[in-house]
Amino acid sequence: SMKIFRGVFSPIQVNTYIITGNDRECIVIDCGCYGGEEEKRLEEMLATRGLTPVMLLGTHCHLDHVFGNRFMLERYGLRSWFHEGDRPNYLNAPKHSLMFGLSMEPPPDPAGFLTDGQEITAAGLKLKVVPVPGHSPGGIALWSEADSVVFTGDALFAGSVGRSDLPGGDHEQLIENIRERLFTLPPETVVYPGHGPETTIRQEMETNPFFS
């Protein structure tokens, strides 16, 4: 069964998730390490648990979710997989970071692009790519049916939804996708968002103010 470890990185406080199903290899979701100290912290999180990253996945490509991608390539030889719809955000991340008073080098080329409904098998886990554009054009969630867990990026949060005022954002599209793609998952599914604490699909269906 899945073990989940969370690191919170950068001034934007992004959740980076390390997940494993076999206690040897792991998948890293949204590597947000900003600077050497945070890179070292992630390295220690992996080393102390004896985990080797074998895959890097992106729920979307806003700057805070890709700060650590160059480190993942240089340290572990991994390039990121994400949805092609977010390629513009990926390429523009260094420019966007300046608007936040931060800086980053251009991120490395991706390993490839994820497609809607694709099944990813790695580190003893199986994840399904669930498209939830609206916060960003290529926004996806990563769902493990077996472990009853979904990583929602910045689409759905505990008590909130992603902002839609960034390039390619569309609020109505986001709400519709959450309804159709996330709220149709089993209600007991635990939601691990890109920022803030976890929640459940049931909790959000019943109490999220955007769906009342």
Side-chain angles (χ1 to χ4, degrees), residues 36-54:
E37 272 180 43
E38 292 193 348
E39 291 168 359
K40 201 169 149 213
R41 181 150 59 90
L42 179 72
E43 210 170 348
E44 283 168 3
M45 282 179 76
L46 294 166
T48 54
R49 296 174 175 88
L51 294 173
T52 303
V54 291

Side-chain angles (χ1 to χ4, degrees), residues 62 86 89 133-138 162-174:
H62 286 142
D86 254 43
N89 275 325
H135 170 69
S136 74
R163 56 193 282 193
S164 49
D165 59 344
L166 298 165
D170 180 328
H171 183 71
E172 274 155 38
Q173 181 191 39
L174 177 62

Side-chain angles (χ1 to χ4, degrees), residues 81-206:
W81 292 87
F82 53 83
H83 193 285
E84 196 164 8
D86 254 43
R87 197 204 305 231
N89 275 325
Y90 195 61
L91 297 173
N92 287 324
K95 195 171 71 182
H96 290 158
S97 67
L98 297 174
M99 292 162 34
F100 285 85
L102 303 168
S103 68
M104 67 182 287
E105 286 182 46
D109 290 338
F113 296 113
L114 302 172
T115 53
D116 298 357
Q118 181 176 343
E119 292 216 322
I120 299 161
T121 309
L125 299 168
K126 191 186 274 187
L127 299 171
K128 191 170 185 184
V129 175
V130 180
V132 277
H135 170 69
S136 74
I140 59 161
L142 295 159
W143 175 45
S144 167
E145 185 173 11
D147 295 287
S148 213
V149 162
V150 64
F151 299 89
T152 56
D154 289 2
L156 180 65
F157 302 117
S160 189
V161 300
R163 56 193 282 193
S164 49
D165 59 344
L166 298 165
D170 180 328
H171 183 71
E172 274 155 38
Q173 181 191 39
L174 177 62
I175 296 298
E176 188 179 329
N177 278 313
I178 292 171
R179 269 211 178 91
E180 289 177 9
R181 310 290 181 104
L182 297 180
F183 286 177
T184 50
L185 298 177
E188 67 277 8
T189 307
V190 180
V191 173
Y192 287 88
H195 303 271
E198 56 266 33
T199 178
T200 64
I201 293 293
R202 177 182 287 113
Q203 172 81 10
E204 295 317 303
M205 287 174 75
E206 290 176 358

